[in-house]
């Protein structure tokens, strides 16, 4: 863990008035007593740095600082050090104590915003005083994210992590390849794209186009057919394709028509890795086999498209899941940015491929589900499970396949 060069770690600074609970919060985030805490204002003098592996962001450095309302000559020197830290962090946590958000914090927020440093306001000590509604409204108007916690009681620490994750600059999140790492130059890839009523007029959808682009970037050869032409295309080829990628809707037919010697997967499974944490989504898929009649399932879409009579997310997946569970399920559909804060009523979350979402948006959703102990998977994996072919479609991702099998057997990581 400590091998990541310091410059590449995301630097997260904790700022605020003395005694607001900065050190208590840092210790809570890390889960260790690193920074000294006391009820004496001015306990932290020099900045305290702690490298840490903050799932799911990765390597970070937390920097606890001296209160920015320090007094006297020494206080001035301490504040100078804190201001130096203020200039070099990637994200700032502005910690507000029981006295609430005042001109002091406002100045800090203004400075950070003028520097274009992402920030989160932490209303700490919620056990003593709730944040003023006007302060919350004002921050909302300014587009500043705020979280209410009690660092002492360890309440709300996951929400701080989630907010940090949202604010993390995108370049700190490594973007995996869509398909390029599964193929070598010269390999042939066969794409199977059904053209049904749900297909957009005159074009292909983004995951298909992105896959084609990645095949070209890999100096490989792409060929595209509808599911009906797959068998005859395969017999006409003199060398076998390295990989067959199909739309989830035709996965059963394509699995049957593709010889076992050829790897096959779906566009949505490629998207599970490209846009999310594939291992966790595969684990979430394992929970499908435990669904019981009467369970509640959340279907989450990131775009608000017009739904069709036989819509995949709203009609087909709920129908297949009910068949699989052997009885009725309570299915809620949420579209766009509407992703519930509280996922605990759900036995399963099934998220769409997220072609219009950023990787970070998807990871934040997964993180929320994980913190709340709710299994989450995506459309493609869920469809492969209910069609009985997830083992086949995960063949080229052995770690994900293992994660799925372990979760299905009810084993932890
Ligand atoms: N009730 C309550 N007390 C808290 C909370 N968080 C911190 N405290 C207490 O507030 C006091 C100050 O906490 P610190 O974490 O040392 O605050 P700090 O911002 O690091 O203070 P300086 O280092 O002096 O700037 C301690 O007595 C903590 O136990 C909280 O959520 N609720
Ligand atoms: Mg301190």
């Amino acid at each position: 863990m400590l091998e990541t060069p310091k410059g590449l770690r995301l630097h997260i600074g904790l700022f605020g008035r003395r005694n607001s609970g900065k050190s208590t919060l840092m210790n809570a985030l890390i889960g260790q007593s690193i920074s000294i805490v006391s009820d004496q204002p001015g306990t932290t003098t020099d900045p305290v740095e702690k490298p840490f592996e903050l799932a799911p962001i990765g390597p970070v450095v937390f920097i606890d600082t001296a209160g920015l309302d320090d007094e006297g000559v020494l206080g001035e020197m301490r504040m100078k050090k804190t201001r130096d830290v203020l200039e070099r962090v990637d994200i700032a946590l502005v910690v507000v104590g029981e006295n609430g958000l005042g001109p002091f914090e406002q100045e800090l927020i203004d400075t950070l915003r003028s520097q274009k440093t992402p920030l989160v306001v932490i209303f700490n000590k919620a056990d003593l005083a709730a944040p003023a509604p006007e302060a919350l409204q004002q921050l909302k108007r300014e587009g500043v994210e705020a979280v209410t916690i009690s660092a002492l009681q360890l309440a709300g620490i996951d929400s701080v992590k989630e907010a940090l994750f949202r604010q993390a600059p995108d370049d700190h999140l490594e973007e995996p390849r869509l398909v390029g790492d599964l193929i070598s130059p010269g390999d042939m890839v066969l794409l199977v794209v059904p053209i049904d009523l749900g297909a957009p007029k005159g074009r292909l959808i983004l995951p298909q186009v992105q896959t084609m682009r990645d095949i070209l970037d890999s100096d490989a050869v792409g060929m595209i057919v509808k599911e009906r032409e797959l068998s005859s295309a395969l017999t006409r080829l003199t060398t076998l394709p390295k990989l067959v990628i199909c739309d989830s809707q035709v996965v059963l037919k394509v699995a049957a028509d593709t010889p076992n010697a050829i790897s096959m997967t779906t566009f949505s499974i490629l998207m599970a890795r490209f846009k999310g944490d594939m291992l966790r989504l595969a684990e979430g898929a394992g929970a499908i086999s435990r669904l019981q009649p009467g369970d509640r399932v959340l279907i989450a879409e990131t775009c608000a498209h017009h739904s069709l009579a036989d819509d995949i997310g709203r009609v087909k997946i709920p129908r297949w899941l009910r068949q699989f569970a052997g009885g009725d399920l309570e299915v809620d559909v949420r579209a766009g940015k509407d992703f519930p804060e509280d996922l605990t009523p759900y036995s399963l979350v099934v998220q769409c491929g997220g072609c219009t979402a950023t990787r970070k948006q998807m990871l934040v959703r997964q993180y929320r589900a994980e913190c709340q102990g709710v299994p989450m998977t995506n459309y493609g994996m869920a469809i492969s499970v209910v069609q009985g072919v997830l083992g086949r479609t995960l063949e080229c991702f052995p770690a994900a396949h293992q994660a799925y099998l372990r979760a299905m057997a009810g084993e932890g990581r």
Side-chain angles (χ1 to χ4, degrees):
M1 167 192 135
L2 296 174
E3 281 166 9
T4 307
K6 197 168 158 218
L8 295 181
R9 289 176 172 270
L10 189 76
H11 284 55
I12 303 169
L14 292 100
F15 307 97
R17 278 187 261 179
R18 286 171 300 167
N19 245 356
S20 57
K22 302 178 292 299
S23 303
T24 311
L25 173 58
M26 179 163 113
N27 292 343
L29 285 164
I30 292 171
Q32 294 173 36
S33 210
I34 296 289
S35 210
I36 299 170
V37 169
S38 89
D39 56 7
Q40 282 281 338
T43 303
T44 309
T45 51
D46 286 315
V48 177
E49 295 202 8
K50 174 68 185 166
F52 188 70
E53 193 72 23
L54 182 71
I57 297 180
V60 303
V61 186
F62 284 110
I63 313 172
D64 184 18
T65 62
L68 267 165
D69 59 344
D70 215 339
E71 293 157 344
V73 180
L74 270 180
E76 187 48 51
M77 286 159 77
R78 290 196 279 262
M79 287 198 290
K80 157 106 188 38
K81 284 205 162 170
T82 299
R83 281 194 293 269
D84 289 345
V85 178
L86 201 62
E87 282 173 16
R88 66 184 169 89
V89 291
D90 299 304
I91 306 182
L93 295 179
V94 175
V95 184
V96 183
E98 67 271 48
N99 299 325
L101 187 87
F104 196 85
E105 283 79 12
Q106 194 55 56
E107 195 186 322
L108 190 53
I109 292 168
D110 292 344
T111 308
L112 287 163
R113 294 185 76 184
S114 65
Q115 283 173 202
K116 303 214 175 341
T117 305
L119 72 127
V120 183
V121 173
I122 309 292
F123 287 101
N124 188 30
K125 305 199 185 186
D127 52 307
L128 297 182
E134 310 83 67
L136 287 172
Q137 275 161 16
Q138 183 200 327
L139 292 175
K140 198 167 180 188
R141 270 199 307 277
E142 292 174 8
V144 176
E145 179 155 13
V147 179
T148 304
I149 68 159
S150 167
L152 187 67
Q153 299 183 338
L154 299 179
I157 305 301
D158 281 339
S159 316
V160 178
K161 290 183 185 172
E162 193 183 308
L164 278 173
F165 195 22
R166 250 194 301 276
Q167 298 300 333
D170 284 335
D171 54 11
H172 273 268
L173 300 175
E174 192 191 346
E175 184 117 313
R177 296 289 297 271
L178 192 50
V179 65
D181 58 332
L182 301 176
I183 52 179
S184 308
D187 279 345
M188 152 88 66
V189 183
L190 226 164
L191 307 177
V192 187
V193 175
I195 302 297
D196 58 10
L197 278 178
K201 198 166 184 289
R203 63 177 176 88
L204 295 172
I205 61 172
L206 200 53
Q208 296 158 353
V209 175
Q210 283 173 311
T211 304
M212 286 183 208
R213 173 61 199 257
D214 208 17
I215 291 169
L216 295 177
D217 285 340
S218 308
D219 300 327
V221 181
M223 180 176 177
I224 185 162
V225 292
K226 298 201 295 288
E227 70 277 19
R228 229 185 44 198
E229 284 76 36
L230 172 62
S231 287
S232 74
L234 282 170
T235 52
R236 268 186 284 161
L237 289 174
T238 48
T239 46
L240 291 182
K242 176 78 185 293
L243 182 63
V244 172
I245 307 169
C246 68
D247 189 282
S248 291
Q249 308 218 38
V250 292
V251 69
L252 197 58
K253 177 171 169 47
V254 173
D257 289 353
T258 306
N260 284 338
I262 306 171
S263 290
M264 68 152 296
T265 192
T266 68
F267 291 107
S268 345
I269 284 175
L270 295 179
M271 290 300 276
R273 184 176 67 141
F274 188 57
K275 284 289 170 80
D277 180 336
M278 180 182 222
L279 290 186
R280 297 228 162 91
L281 292 169
E283 275 173 11
I288 295 177
S289 57
R290 290 195 296 277
L291 281 180
Q292 300 287 331
D295 279 352
R296 229 168 134 182
V297 174
L298 176 72
I299 303 277
E301 294 174 343
T302 46
C303 64
H305 65 276
H306 287 293
S307 67
L308 295 160
D310 215 11
D311 193 77
I312 188 82
R314 290 159 195 246
V315 182
K316 283 189 178 161
I317 291 179
R319 187 168 69 216
W320 288 326
L321 288 177
R322 285 187 179 109
Q323 280 166 3
F324 205 75
D328 202 14
L329 298 168
E330 215 179 304
V331 179
D332 295 343
V333 179
R334 296 291 175 87
K337 292 202 172 66
D338 182 18
F339 191 68
E341 288 288 334
D342 182 13
L343 299 169
T344 53
Y346 297 106
S347 305
L348 178 70
V349 178
V350 189
Q351 165 69 48
C352 73
C355 55
T356 64
T358 64
R359 179 166 164 77
K360 191 150 79 187
Q361 280 172 315
M362 298 293 278
L363 289 171
V364 166
R365 287 180 171 205
Q366 281 193 256
Y367 182 65
R368 186 178 296 171
E370 195 196 344
C371 289
Q372 299 182 17
V374 179
M376 175 163 167
T377 191
N378 82 344
Y379 279 15
M381 288 201 187
I383 296 171
S384 279
V385 170
V386 295
Q387 306 274 350
V389 293
L390 189 67
R392 177 82 168 101
T393 51
L394 283 183
E395 254 168 26
C396 37
F397 303 107
H401 190 201
Q402 286 304 318
Y404 165 66
L405 294 176
R406 273 198 309 274
M408 205 166 52
E411 293 165 20
R413 232 167 288 151

